[in-house]
Amino acid sequence: MSTQEKSLTDKIWEVFSSMKLGLALLGIIALASAIGTFIPQISLEPEKAKTVGALWQTLGFTDLYAAWWFHLLLGLLGVNLVICSLQRFQGIYAKTFHQKAARTLTELPGQARAELKGNSVRLAQVITETLVQKHYHLVRDEWETGWSFTAVKHRWGYWGSLITHISFVILLAGALVGTLLGFKGYFMAGAGSTVPLKQIELSRGKVSQTFNVKINSAEDRMLANGERDNWYTDLSILEGDKEVARQTLSVNHPFTYEGVTFYQASFAHGAALTADIKGQKIPVVLQDQGGNFFQAPGTDLYLVVAAMKNDVQNPVILYQVYQGYGFKLVQSGQLKKGESVMINDAYQVTLDGYSGFTGLQVKEDPGVSLIWLGSLLLLIGLMLSFYWRPVVISGIYNGGETGGKLVLGASGKSKSLLAEEFGQFTDKLKNSAAN
Amino acid sequence: MNPGLENLETSMYYLMFAAYLLSMFSYWVWAAFKSELMGKLATALAIVGFAANTAAIVVRILIVQRPPLTNGYEFLVTFCWGILAVYLFAEFRYRLKALGVFVLPVAFLLLAYIAMKMGPEERVAQAIPPALKSQWLTFHVITAILAYGAFAVAFGLGLMYLLKHKFELLKKSDGLMTRFPALDTLDELAYRVVGFAFPLLSLCIITGAIWANYAWGTYWSWDPKETWSLITWLIYAGYLHARLMYGWKGKRAAWMAVFGFAAVLFTFFGVNYFLPGLHTYA
């Protein structure tokens, strides 16, 4: 029983440690990702995605990158990478820190070979001098009738591939942490309004923070030449009624408070009004084109701003009032700045002026630091792999003090670097042997 | 805006266009008739085109006061610059004139695309949306251009390999083929060029992620452009693994270099013109 179990574990281990699986997974993931760009995705085209065949929707093809099987593929790739890395760790460690000098000719690296005769002491001296000068890491061995050496240049290059693969696992872990913890949401609010973070619309996760966000101002700023400078939001973080932080943010300049980051995502114009309900004055900010409504307390009247005149100096709005569940239009009209109007004999509104509406993306993603760590390691790994390729030169000398034979072997991932290094090295040795 | 500078930019664009076109024909004539003079002329024209290309970019920077990388036109002109930079380096470093036969047409076709498909309104310097106002833009696009330029060169090398391989099978020793380096050399060079470009493509994707995190609040959103850059990355990652572990060299590697560049082109053209997404500027 136990041998059977072991062989099964071995088999699974074997499958997961094979690079064939890794390559197959890369291929399948690439293919699946490509398919996802041709089938409408809920995240990009929600309306179109609904028209895709029901079977495809059930299989998750319209939300492909969040589909369980897509995550499974990524997970399998992660497991494959971890096992491959574990298996290779020891070998790479030994190659870097416990390099041994070759003892037999079969142990010599075989990509390039050379042979020469000469004086034992002289050759050994030139070899050491040349290789140390060229920053090789050199180990030597000696016995009665001869000696040997192995020298490695760029030995950190051995770690490149391992670091690259581990970085990929860290990236996957970062993405997983981001999916499981934290949240992502969005809200649109007019200048002057206060939004409790717990009440914003979420697309993922849950908000645990209890603070409120006050929008002090929202501006669409233009440059002197008529081009848009940026959208700016001046916001305050309120714990209860107390302001604990204040910051102006804009596109590309987010603001983070207690792990929650606010991003300027969009902007809309709106109007600032004051509603006077039996002497009680309530400030109201309404977005252009009916983006939101105001329901006066104790009424079933919904006030919206249907249109706004594009003239900041002389604000004019077109307002509409709808009533009841049927949203019946009961009143509409124009309102200039400073003008007031009675709404269905229930309350009075006054237009105070124009006001900005800011659209903020809000996110808490504890996985981001892992993503940056993974990215950094990925770059280091790739740099080591491709721009820091190791070269090994090894040799065995056999024979007496003079007239013995030195056999040299070399290998390296980069053929040109190998040819250059080995060529220069053997030339130098031949010259010294001839002298 | 300075009309003098704008005229200069237009002149430089046409000079570059003409020089690349003539250079392409000169490379072809050189290859077909073994005319050394044409070979020298081809290289000289490529250098003239490259100089005009550089000037067009510098003038655009002076006009818009920012890196010229924010719309399709600017990107394509800079993409050509990247291709020629990597190509000219390869020609001089490895004496690889025959590569010009395949790489110059790529640069020329990109410029021809601008001339035929882009109206004047797409070419002029435009106001950029707030999302593009970031210093990450420069890093992001420069790495993209160098990586894509190198992939174009690897594509040329792959084509050369496939052609030479075909002719050797047929035992034809055509004039053009004798000018190609040995199959092994072509294969090794393509590998080296991909090895140079792959870390740059990775850097391009990473700088894009950092920037997206600032601008959109998410480092990865499976936007089609992101997804296709990842697919391109995966294809080249496959190329490198298959080569190192299974000895996929020669023909299969050459096909992958061609295939990989097709993914590069799709990432740019296909995504912009066929697929929806956030990345609509270039």
Side-chain angles (χ1 to χ4, degrees):
Chain A
M1 180 75 188
S2 71
T3 50
Q4 222 176 3
E5 261 178 19
K6 199 180 164 195
S7 73
L8 184 68
T9 334
D10 277 354
K11 265 185 196 164
I12 293 173
W13 182 267
E14 217 169 83
V15 168
F16 273 102
S17 63
S18 87
M19 188 144 90
K20 258 188 196 152
L21 176 75
L23 275 177
L25 284 169
L26 280 190
I28 297 169
I29 290 169
L31 189 70
S33 307
I35 291 171
T37 63
F38 292 107
I39 296 178
Q41 296 294 302
I42 291 170
S43 54
L44 284 172
E45 301 169 293
E47 291 308 315
K48 253 182 154 179
K50 281 179 201 154
T51 62
V52 176
L55 176 68
W56 297 109
Q57 288 196 44
T58 319
L59 290 174
F61 275 85
T62 51
D63 197 12
L64 194 145
Y65 308 107
W68 64 268
W69 55 268
F70 192 72
H71 287 176
L72 179 71
L73 286 173
L74 292 175
L76 287 176
L77 182 65
V79 173
N80 176 249
L81 289 171
V82 168
I83 293 180
C84 281
S85 303
L86 282 177
Q87 268 193 332
R88 293 175 53 200
F89 178 79
Q90 230 179 354
I92 292 169
Y93 186 85
K95 258 194 202 169
T96 321
F97 300 111
H98 300 298
Q99 185 89 45
K100 284 193 180 120
R103 257 340 248 286
T104 61
L105 289 178
T106 48
E107 280 171 40
L108 285 183
Q111 263 175 285
R113 280 286 164 101
E115 276 185 32
L116 61 138
K117 290 189 169 174
N119 178 288
S120 164
V121 180
R122 175 90 186 116
L123 279 176
Q125 191 192 349
V126 176
I127 286 170
T128 311
E129 273 171 17
T130 316
L131 292 176
V132 168
Q133 190 200 353
K134 295 194 96 188
H135 307 291
Y136 275 79
H137 180 256
L138 182 68
V139 282
R140 299 175 44 117
D141 194 5
E142 253 178 88
W143 55 92
E144 261 178 43
T145 56
W147 45 265
S148 68
F149 73 92
T150 293
V152 193
K153 189 179 186 170
H154 295 174
R155 59 185 171 140
W156 288 103
Y158 288 128
W159 292 83
S161 139
L162 186 81
I163 293 174
T164 307
H165 288 92
I166 289 174
S167 75
F168 218 84
V169 178
I170 294 176
L171 287 172
L172 288 175
L176 186 70
V177 168
T179 318
L180 297 180
L181 309 171
F183 68 86
K184 191 173 169 183
Y186 177 84
F187 72 89
M188 188 121 204
S193 50
T194 300
V195 180
L197 195 68
K198 285 224 171 224
Q199 284 175 19
I200 66 167
E201 198 180 306
L202 294 180
S203 58
R204 178 170 61 72
K206 227 176 128 186
V207 178
S208 56
Q209 290 80 354
T210 53
F211 58 78
N212 300 329
V213 185
K214 185 174 178 218
I215 308 298
N216 300 310
S217 73
E219 258 186 275
D220 181 11
R221 231 177 266 169
M222 298 303 217
L223 296 169
N225 63 6
E227 287 181 16
R228 170 163 289 117
D229 171 18
N230 212 325
W231 297 317
Y232 294 90
T233 302
D234 176 1
L235 63 77
S236 297
I237 304 292
L238 309 177
E239 300 267 17
D241 287 334
K242 198 177 145 227
E243 181 180 279
V244 287
R246 183 169 182 162
Q247 179 86 30
T248 300
L249 54 119
S250 56
V251 178
N252 271 318
H253 301 279
F255 162 60
T256 305
Y257 177 75
E258 282 190 354
V260 178
T261 308
F262 297 85
Y263 301 87
Q264 183 75 53
S266 60
F267 185 90
H269 292 282
L273 305 132
T274 304
D276 185 337
I277 308 166
K278 291 169 193 157
Q280 188 199 356
K281 287 195 162 59
I282 305 174
V284 175
V285 201
L286 292 178
Q287 197 183 326
D288 193 9
Q289 296 180 349
N292 62 340
F293 61 83
F294 168 67
Q295 183 185 8
T299 70
D300 61 349
L301 298 167
Y302 304 97
L303 173 69
V304 299
V305 171
M308 288 169 52
K309 198 175 161 193
N310 191 15
D311 182 357
V312 187
Q313 302 302 321
N314 306 297
V316 185
I317 62 165
L318 177 69
Y319 70 90
Q320 292 175 334
V321 185
Y322 295 86
Q323 187 168 28
Y325 289 120
F327 298 109
K328 196 179 136 210
L329 182 66
V330 291
Q331 187 181 346
S332 71
Q334 265 195 13
L335 206 55
K336 287 183 187 162
K337 186 178 175 182
E339 279 184 351
S340 301
V341 68
M342 279 307 286
I343 300 297
N344 216 23
D345 294 331
Y347 63 95
Q348 177 182 288
V349 287
T350 310
L351 176 63
D352 301 327
Y354 284 168
S355 166
F357 254 81
T358 186
L360 297 180
Q361 170 132 281
V362 192
K363 203 184 72 171
E364 185 193 28
D365 185 350
V368 163
S369 43
L370 279 176
I371 295 292
W372 301 150
L373 174 69
S375 301
L376 182 69
L377 286 176
L378 178 67
L379 285 179
I380 292 175
L382 290 172
M383 294 289 167
L384 287 174
S385 293
F386 292 105
Y387 305 148
W388 201 252
R389 291 176 166 163
V391 177
V392 185
I393 298 181
S394 190
I396 300 177
Y397 182 90
N398 265 314
E401 280 280 307
T402 52
K405 191 169 78 172
L406 175 66
V407 182
L408 296 166
S411 67
K413 259 193 204 168
S414 162
K415 274 190 193 169
S416 57
L417 181 64
L418 173 70
E420 196 183 304
E421 291 280 321
F422 194 58
Q424 284 176 3
F425 178 68
T426 48
D427 283 350
K428 198 153 187 185
L429 283 187
K430 278 173 190 160
N431 283 341
S432 75
N435 290 335
Chain B
M1 299 263 173
N2 184 332
L5 276 181
E6 276 177 33
N7 287 337
L8 181 61
E9 191 204 330
T10 314
S11 315
M12 285 301 131
Y13 170 75
Y14 285 113
L15 176 60
M16 151 177 78
F17 191 83
Y20 285 161
L21 174 69
L22 293 173
S23 169
M24 176 178 82
F25 281 123
S26 307
Y27 274 111
W28 289 354
V29 173
W30 163 79
F33 300 107
K34 298 187 185 179
S35 154
E36 284 313 314
L37 184 67
M38 285 313 275
K40 283 193 181 134
L41 183 67
T43 307
L45 282 167
I47 294 171
V48 170
F50 184 63
N53 199 338
T54 313
I57 293 171
V58 171
V59 173
R60 176 57 73 112
I61 294 175
L62 292 176
I63 294 175
V64 295
Q65 302 284 320
R66 55 168 166 78
L69 310 162
T70 51
N71 62 26
Y73 166 76
E74 292 176 357
F75 183 83
L76 283 178
V77 169
T78 320
F79 186 9
C80 283
W81 188 90
I83 293 175
L84 263 288
V86 178
Y87 166 68
L88 285 173
F89 175 79
E91 175 173 337
F92 284 101
R93 176 81 165 73
Y94 304 111
R95 296 174 201 285
L96 258 181
K97 206 180 259 289
L99 186 58
V101 175
F102 300 93
V103 173
L104 259 292
V106 177
F108 170 73
L109 286 174
L110 291 174
L111 291 182
Y113 178 86
I114 297 178
M116 289 190 301
K117 290 281 180 182
M118 286 188 178
E121 72 286 352
E122 281 181 81
R123 287 198 228 168
V124 293
Q126 291 150 336
I128 55 171
L132 288 184
K133 293 185 176 174
S134 165
Q135 68 272 35
W136 288 105
L137 170 76
T138 318
F139 294 111
H140 179 57
V141 186
I142 283 177
T143 49
I145 274 151
L146 283 175
Y148 287 5
F151 287 137
V153 169
F155 161 78
L157 288 164
L159 280 185
M160 283 168 79
Y161 184 97
L162 292 171
L163 271 178
K164 191 169 172 99
H165 181 75
K166 187 105 189 155
F167 274 84
E168 283 193 358
L169 275 185
L170 297 170
K171 298 212 163 71
K172 277 189 195 169
S173 56
D174 192 88
L176 175 60
M177 294 304 134
T178 55
R179 290 170 173 255
F180 284 13
L183 284 176
D184 277 355
T185 314
L186 285 172
D187 183 57
E188 171 72 13
L189 274 176
Y191 170 59
R192 240 193 282 173
V193 171
V194 172
F196 162 77
F198 190 69
L200 286 174
L201 177 63
S202 312
L203 191 58
C204 171
I205 295 177
I206 290 170
T207 49
I210 296 175
W211 180 19
N213 198 54
Y214 274 108
W216 299 326
T218 167
Y219 53 85
W220 192 265
S221 45
W222 293 106
D223 167 79
K225 176 87 68 181
E226 287 173 356
T227 309
W228 272 95
S229 70
L230 177 71
I231 293 168
T232 309
W233 192 88
L234 289 173
I235 291 174
Y236 285 108
Y239 169 97
L240 295 167
H241 281 93
R243 182 181 186 94
L244 289 178
M245 296 298 150
Y246 299 112
W248 271 33
K249 294 188 180 174
K251 215 173 141 190
R252 282 194 273 197
W255 271 116
M256 279 191 95
V258 171
F259 194 49
F261 189 62
V264 168
L265 288 182
F266 190 78
T267 307
F268 181 71
F269 290 103
V271 172
N272 280 15
Y273 298 102
F274 303 127
L275 303 173
L278 296 163
H279 218 294
T280 45
Y281 1 91

